[in-house]
Amino acid sequence: MIGPPSWRDHQDRAVGAPQVPGADDRAFYLPIGDLQAGDYRRNAFAMGTEEELAALRRILQGMVDLRAGTRVLDVGCGDARHLRALAVDGVLGTGVDVSPGLIGAARDAAASAGVEVDLVVGDARELPGALGPRMGTFEVAWSLCQGALGTSPVTDPVVLRGMAEALRPGGVAVVTLFHALFAARHLAPGDAFDPVHLVHHQRTEVRGPDHARETFDLWTASYTVRDAVRLLAQVGLEAVSVRGVEPGAYGRRAAGEVGLDDPELLVVARRT
């Protein structure tokens, strides 16, 4: 038992923060996704799809090809921007998201683009129930921009175990995780960081259609490289490479290169 959280603000002063959602609590991202729906595409982090996919093709070269017939699972897919782009090349994508609003937006966007993507409303903590017979059939399973981790920081291992079990033996998992060193270095006023459990908390305003605005609590578990590799190993995923990234810039660093100011860690692993 590590103990209770020790929340600190951007000046390293003790502060309070709302309790981290528990394993059985509703996914905190659900109302955010439903509010944004089709406006999800306006998020700054959602504008780097082309670069991210080009970089992923290079990073995964020699392990798996993102080509026609390859089965890719995107957990926390948002509006399925990556899968819709891959579908143009015949990649068989399945996207899961907890938000019905985002899945609805993904279906509308896929129909407008004339591509087919298998889209499922489901909680990332319960992938076997959401995917059914699709479990164990994917060459690649990924969660990008912490998409699968908007449930509860305490259940990240459950999410990753489901992703591992969704893969074929030898399949490839790709995850981006919030970088703990970046989180601690760049706390903004009003944010809080727990150095004990490495969880970041913030209150953020989210904009939806018709100028709608709502403020939400966000909790994000963050990781050092060592912690990330251990976390994946615990669920049967053997890390192959780690690099520092940020949305829209997955290809700027070589494998093994992580900067203190890289907001995310991109980990590639194989199902053992």
Side-chain angles (χ1 to χ4, degrees), residues 19-46:
Q19 183 174 348
V20 173
D24 297 323
D25 290 336
R26 183 183 75 164
F28 69 81
Y29 192 77
L30 193 159
I32 300 173
D34 282 351
L35 172 65
Q36 289 199 307
D39 277 23
Y40 174 91
R41 66 186 185 280
R42 298 182 180 178
N43 288 312
F45 66 77

mmCIF file of all heavy atoms in Angstrom, residues 19-46:
data_model
loop_
_atom_site.group_PDB
_atom_site.id
_atom_site.type_symbol
_atom_site.label_atom_id
_atom_site.label_comp_id
_atom_site.label_asym_id
_atom_site.label_seq_id
_atom_site.Cartn_x
_atom_site.Cartn_y
_atom_site.Cartn_z
ATOM 1 N N GLN A 19 -11.307 13.454 -5.482
ATOM 2 C CA GLN A 19 -10.885 12.055 -5.409
ATOM 3 C C GLN A 19 -10.809 11.436 -6.795
ATOM 4 O O GLN A 19 -11.690 11.630 -7.632
ATOM 5 C CB GLN A 19 -11.861 11.258 -4.541
ATOM 6 C CG GLN A 19 -11.458 9.809 -4.337
ATOM 7 C CD GLN A 19 -12.375 9.107 -3.360
ATOM 8 O OE1 GLN A 19 -13.157 9.727 -2.670
ATOM 9 N NE2 GLN A 19 -12.283 7.783 -3.318
ATOM 10 N N VAL A 20 -9.757 10.687 -7.024
ATOM 11 C CA VAL A 20 -9.578 10.002 -8.305
ATOM 12 C C VAL A 20 -10.719 8.993 -8.497
ATOM 13 O O VAL A 20 -11.062 8.255 -7.570
ATOM 14 C CB VAL A 20 -8.223 9.273 -8.340
ATOM 15 C CG1 VAL A 20 -8.100 8.430 -9.599
ATOM 16 C CG2 VAL A 20 -7.082 10.274 -8.256
ATOM 17 N N PRO A 21 -11.333 8.959 -9.679
ATOM 18 C CA PRO A 21 -12.402 7.975 -9.912
ATOM 19 C C PRO A 21 -11.924 6.552 -9.650
ATOM 20 O O PRO A 21 -10.789 6.190 -9.974
ATOM 21 C CB PRO A 21 -12.743 8.175 -11.389
ATOM 22 C CG PRO A 21 -12.317 9.578 -11.694
ATOM 23 C CD PRO A 21 -11.107 9.819 -10.845
ATOM 24 N N GLY A 22 -12.801 5.760 -9.046
ATOM 25 C CA GLY A 22 -12.448 4.390 -8.716
ATOM 26 C C GLY A 22 -12.685 3.434 -9.862
ATOM 27 O O GLY A 22 -13.186 3.804 -10.932
ATOM 28 N N ALA A 23 -12.361 2.178 -9.619
ATOM 29 C CA ALA A 23 -12.435 1.154 -10.658
ATOM 30 C C ALA A 23 -13.842 0.974 -11.197
ATOM 31 O O ALA A 23 -14.029 0.651 -12.372
ATOM 32 C CB ALA A 23 -11.903 -0.163 -10.112
ATOM 33 N N ASP A 24 -14.840 1.185 -10.362
ATOM 34 C CA ASP A 24 -16.220 0.952 -10.781
ATOM 35 C C ASP A 24 -16.986 2.235 -11.095
ATOM 36 O O ASP A 24 -18.173 2.185 -11.406
ATOM 37 C CB ASP A 24 -16.970 0.174 -9.687
ATOM 38 C CG ASP A 24 -16.367 -1.205 -9.447
ATOM 39 O OD1 ASP A 24 -15.933 -1.829 -10.426
ATOM 40 O OD2 ASP A 24 -16.318 -1.632 -8.278
ATOM 41 N N ASP A 25 -16.317 3.374 -11.008
ATOM 42 C CA ASP A 25 -16.980 4.640 -11.317
ATOM 43 C C ASP A 25 -17.155 4.804 -12.823
ATOM 44 O O ASP A 25 -16.407 4.221 -13.620
ATOM 45 C CB ASP A 25 -16.171 5.820 -10.778
ATOM 46 C CG ASP A 25 -16.197 5.897 -9.269
ATOM 47 O OD1 ASP A 25 -17.151 5.361 -8.674
ATOM 48 O OD2 ASP A 25 -15.267 6.479 -8.679
ATOM 49 N N ARG A 26 -18.132 5.613 -13.191
ATOM 50 C CA ARG A 26 -18.339 5.908 -14.604
ATOM 51 C C ARG A 26 -17.087 6.539 -15.199
ATOM 52 O O ARG A 26 -16.406 7.334 -14.549
ATOM 53 C CB ARG A 26 -19.522 6.867 -14.766
ATOM 54 C CG ARG A 26 -19.869 7.169 -16.223
ATOM 55 C CD ARG A 26 -21.005 8.176 -16.326
ATOM 56 N NE ARG A 26 -20.554 9.528 -16.008
ATOM 57 C CZ ARG A 26 -21.250 10.632 -16.312
ATOM 58 N NH1 ARG A 26 -22.419 10.518 -16.912
ATOM 59 N NH2 ARG A 26 -20.796 11.809 -15.966
ATOM 60 N N ALA A 27 -16.771 6.182 -16.431
ATOM 61 C CA ALA A 27 -15.624 6.783 -17.114
ATOM 62 C C ALA A 27 -15.792 8.305 -17.151
ATOM 63 O O ALA A 27 -16.794 8.810 -17.652
ATOM 64 C CB ALA A 27 -15.516 6.228 -18.533
ATOM 65 N N PHE A 28 -14.816 9.026 -16.610
ATOM 66 C CA PHE A 28 -14.970 10.476 -16.514
ATOM 67 C C PHE A 28 -14.964 11.151 -17.878
ATOM 68 O O PHE A 28 -15.430 12.282 -18.030
ATOM 69 C CB PHE A 28 -13.900 11.082 -15.599
ATOM 70 C CG PHE A 28 -12.485 11.040 -16.141
ATOM 71 C CD1 PHE A 28 -12.037 11.977 -17.062
ATOM 72 C CD2 PHE A 28 -11.590 10.070 -15.711
ATOM 73 C CE1 PHE A 28 -10.741 11.950 -17.540
ATOM 74 C CE2 PHE A 28 -10.288 10.025 -16.185
ATOM 75 C CZ PHE A 28 -9.856 10.971 -17.099
ATOM 76 N N TYR A 29 -14.461 10.451 -18.900
ATOM 77 C CA TYR A 29 -14.404 11.064 -20.230
ATOM 78 C C TYR A 29 -15.732 10.985 -20.971
ATOM 79 O O TYR A 29 -15.944 11.705 -21.954
ATOM 80 C CB TYR A 29 -13.309 10.401 -21.076
ATOM 81 C CG TYR A 29 -13.008 11.163 -22.344
ATOM 82 C CD1 TYR A 29 -12.251 12.327 -22.304
ATOM 83 C CD2 TYR A 29 -13.524 10.755 -23.569
ATOM 84 C CE1 TYR A 29 -12.004 13.053 -23.450
ATOM 85 C CE2 TYR A 29 -13.280 11.475 -24.730
ATOM 86 C CZ TYR A 29 -12.518 12.620 -24.663
ATOM 87 O OH TYR A 29 -12.279 13.334 -25.801
ATOM 88 N N LEU A 30 -16.648 10.154 -20.512
ATOM 89 C CA LEU A 30 -17.890 9.928 -21.256
ATOM 90 C C LEU A 30 -18.659 11.224 -21.541
ATOM 91 O O LEU A 30 -18.997 11.508 -22.698
ATOM 92 C CB LEU A 30 -18.764 8.915 -20.512
ATOM 93 C CG LEU A 30 -19.956 8.312 -21.269
ATOM 94 C CD1 LEU A 30 -20.375 6.994 -20.622
ATOM 95 C CD2 LEU A 30 -21.156 9.237 -21.324
ATOM 96 N N PRO A 31 -18.960 12.054 -20.544
ATOM 97 C CA PRO A 31 -19.702 13.287 -20.844
ATOM 98 C C PRO A 31 -18.915 14.278 -21.683
ATOM 99 O O PRO A 31 -19.503 15.084 -22.417
ATOM 100 C CB PRO A 31 -20.035 13.855 -19.460
ATOM 101 C CG PRO A 31 -19.014 13.264 -18.545
ATOM 102 C CD PRO A 31 -18.721 11.906 -19.093
ATOM 103 N N ILE A 32 -17.592 14.217 -21.603
ATOM 104 C CA ILE A 32 -16.777 15.108 -22.432
ATOM 105 C C ILE A 32 -16.925 14.729 -23.898
ATOM 106 O O ILE A 32 -17.158 15.584 -24.767
ATOM 107 C CB ILE A 32 -15.299 15.044 -21.996
ATOM 108 C CG1 ILE A 32 -15.155 15.464 -20.534
ATOM 109 C CG2 ILE A 32 -14.430 15.914 -22.903
ATOM 110 C CD1 ILE A 32 -13.762 15.272 -19.976
ATOM 111 N N GLY A 33 -16.789 13.437 -24.183
ATOM 112 C CA GLY A 33 -16.940 12.976 -25.561
ATOM 113 C C GLY A 33 -18.325 13.243 -26.101
ATOM 114 O O GLY A 33 -18.490 13.646 -27.260
ATOM 115 N N ASP A 34 -19.345 13.022 -25.276
ATOM 116 C CA ASP A 34 -20.713 13.258 -25.736
ATOM 117 C C ASP A 34 -20.958 14.734 -26.013
ATOM 118 O O ASP A 34 -21.711 15.084 -26.924
ATOM 119 C CB ASP A 34 -21.705 12.742 -24.690
ATOM 120 C CG ASP A 34 -21.875 11.230 -24.739
ATOM 121 O OD1 ASP A 34 -21.355 10.604 -25.691
ATOM 122 O OD2 ASP A 34 -22.524 10.676 -23.834
ATOM 123 N N LEU A 35 -20.349 15.619 -25.223
ATOM 124 C CA LEU A 35 -20.504 17.056 -25.473
ATOM 125 C C LEU A 35 -19.864 17.447 -26.793
ATOM 126 O O LEU A 35 -20.463 18.171 -27.598
ATOM 127 C CB LEU A 35 -19.874 17.853 -24.337
ATOM 128 C CG LEU A 35 -19.799 19.388 -24.559
ATOM 129 C CD1 LEU A 35 -21.194 19.995 -24.632
ATOM 130 C CD2 LEU A 35 -18.979 20.061 -23.460
ATOM 131 N N GLN A 36 -18.655 16.951 -27.033
ATOM 132 C CA GLN A 36 -17.941 17.367 -28.237
ATOM 133 C C GLN A 36 -18.479 16.700 -29.496
ATOM 134 O O GLN A 36 -18.686 17.367 -30.503
ATOM 135 C CB GLN A 36 -16.455 17.065 -28.087
ATOM 136 C CG GLN A 36 -15.758 17.971 -27.092
ATOM 137 C CD GLN A 36 -14.271 17.980 -27.302
ATOM 138 O OE1 GLN A 36 -13.620 16.947 -27.351
ATOM 139 N NE2 GLN A 36 -13.718 19.169 -27.439
ATOM 140 N N ALA A 37 -18.664 15.389 -29.455
ATOM 141 C CA ALA A 37 -19.178 14.638 -30.612
ATOM 142 C C ALA A 37 -18.455 15.080 -31.885
ATOM 143 O O ALA A 37 -17.246 14.962 -31.989
ATOM 144 C CB ALA A 37 -20.681 14.790 -30.719
ATOM 145 N N GLY A 38 -19.203 15.607 -32.857
ATOM 146 C CA GLY A 38 -18.604 15.985 -34.131
ATOM 147 C C GLY A 38 -17.585 17.100 -34.035
ATOM 148 O O GLY A 38 -16.763 17.278 -34.945
ATOM 149 N N ASP A 39 -17.599 17.880 -32.949
ATOM 150 C CA ASP A 39 -16.614 18.947 -32.765
ATOM 151 C C ASP A 39 -15.282 18.441 -32.222
ATOM 152 O O ASP A 39 -14.341 19.220 -32.059
ATOM 153 C CB ASP A 39 -17.172 20.013 -31.825
ATOM 154 C CG ASP A 39 -18.060 21.004 -32.559
ATOM 155 O OD1 ASP A 39 -18.576 20.636 -33.628
ATOM 156 O OD2 ASP A 39 -18.248 22.134 -32.078
ATOM 157 N N TYR A 40 -15.185 17.155 -31.950
ATOM 158 C CA TYR A 40 -13.936 16.551 -31.472
ATOM 159 C C TYR A 40 -12.779 16.874 -32.413
ATOM 160 O O TYR A 40 -11.649 17.105 -31.974
ATOM 161 C CB TYR A 40 -14.139 15.042 -31.366
ATOM 162 C CG TYR A 40 -12.911 14.236 -31.012
ATOM 163 C CD1 TYR A 40 -12.594 13.962 -29.690
ATOM 164 C CD2 TYR A 40 -12.091 13.703 -32.014
ATOM 165 C CE1 TYR A 40 -11.487 13.196 -29.360
ATOM 166 C CE2 TYR A 40 -10.985 12.939 -31.691
ATOM 167 C CZ TYR A 40 -10.681 12.694 -30.363
ATOM 168 O OH TYR A 40 -9.575 11.929 -30.062
ATOM 169 N N ARG A 41 -13.065 16.935 -33.703
ATOM 170 C CA ARG A 41 -12.012 17.140 -34.699
ATOM 171 C C ARG A 41 -11.329 18.494 -34.536
ATOM 172 O O ARG A 41 -10.235 18.719 -35.078
ATOM 173 C CB ARG A 41 -12.597 17.037 -36.116
ATOM 174 C CG ARG A 41 -13.575 18.146 -36.458
ATOM 175 C CD ARG A 41 -14.236 17.931 -37.812
ATOM 176 N NE ARG A 41 -15.093 19.043 -38.198
ATOM 177 C CZ ARG A 41 -16.325 19.232 -37.764
ATOM 178 N NH1 ARG A 41 -16.861 18.350 -36.911
ATOM 179 N NH2 ARG A 41 -17.030 20.279 -38.152
ATOM 180 N N ARG A 42 -11.949 19.421 -33.791
ATOM 181 C CA ARG A 42 -11.369 20.751 -33.614
ATOM 182 C C ARG A 42 -10.314 20.799 -32.518
ATOM 183 O O ARG A 42 -9.626 21.809 -32.372
ATOM 184 C CB ARG A 42 -12.483 21.759 -33.311
ATOM 185 C CG ARG A 42 -13.490 21.897 -34.450
ATOM 186 C CD ARG A 42 -14.547 22.933 -34.136
ATOM 187 N NE ARG A 42 -15.507 23.065 -35.220
ATOM 188 C CZ ARG A 42 -16.558 23.868 -35.192
ATOM 189 N NH1 ARG A 42 -16.790 24.616 -34.111
ATOM 190 N NH2 ARG A 42 -17.384 23.933 -36.223
ATOM 191 N N ASN A 43 -10.183 19.735 -31.730
ATOM 192 C CA ASN A 43 -9.135 19.700 -30.714
ATOM 193 C C ASN A 43 -7.760 19.759 -31.374
ATOM 194 O O ASN A 43 -7.521 19.091 -32.383
ATOM 195 C CB ASN A 43 -9.239 18.414 -29.885
ATOM 196 C CG ASN A 43 -10.429 18.408 -28.953
ATOM 197 O OD1 ASN A 43 -10.665 19.380 -28.243
ATOM 198 N ND2 ASN A 43 -11.186 17.319 -28.952
ATOM 199 N N ALA A 44 -6.863 20.523 -30.784
ATOM 200 C CA ALA A 44 -5.519 20.657 -31.364
ATOM 201 C C ALA A 44 -4.828 19.305 -31.471
ATOM 202 O O ALA A 44 -4.124 19.028 -32.447
ATOM 203 C CB ALA A 44 -4.694 21.622 -30.522
ATOM 204 N N PHE A 45 -5.032 18.432 -30.471
ATOM 205 C CA PHE A 45 -4.351 17.137 -30.485
ATOM 206 C C PHE A 45 -4.878 16.213 -31.565
ATOM 207 O O PHE A 45 -4.260 15.183 -31.853
ATOM 208 C CB PHE A 45 -4.452 16.457 -29.118
ATOM 209 C CG PHE A 45 -5.855 16.055 -28.715
ATOM 210 C CD1 PHE A 45 -6.465 14.931 -29.249
ATOM 211 C CD2 PHE A 45 -6.552 16.805 -27.795
ATOM 212 C CE1 PHE A 45 -7.756 14.563 -28.883
ATOM 213 C CE2 PHE A 45 -7.842 16.449 -27.411
ATOM 214 C CZ PHE A 45 -8.439 15.327 -27.958
ATOM 215 N N ALA A 46 -6.008 16.563 -32.188
ATOM 216 C CA ALA A 46 -6.610 15.698 -33.203
ATOM 217 C C ALA A 46 -6.243 16.115 -34.625
ATOM 218 O O ALA A 46 -6.803 15.580 -35.583
ATOM 219 C CB ALA A 46 -8.127 15.690 -33.042
#
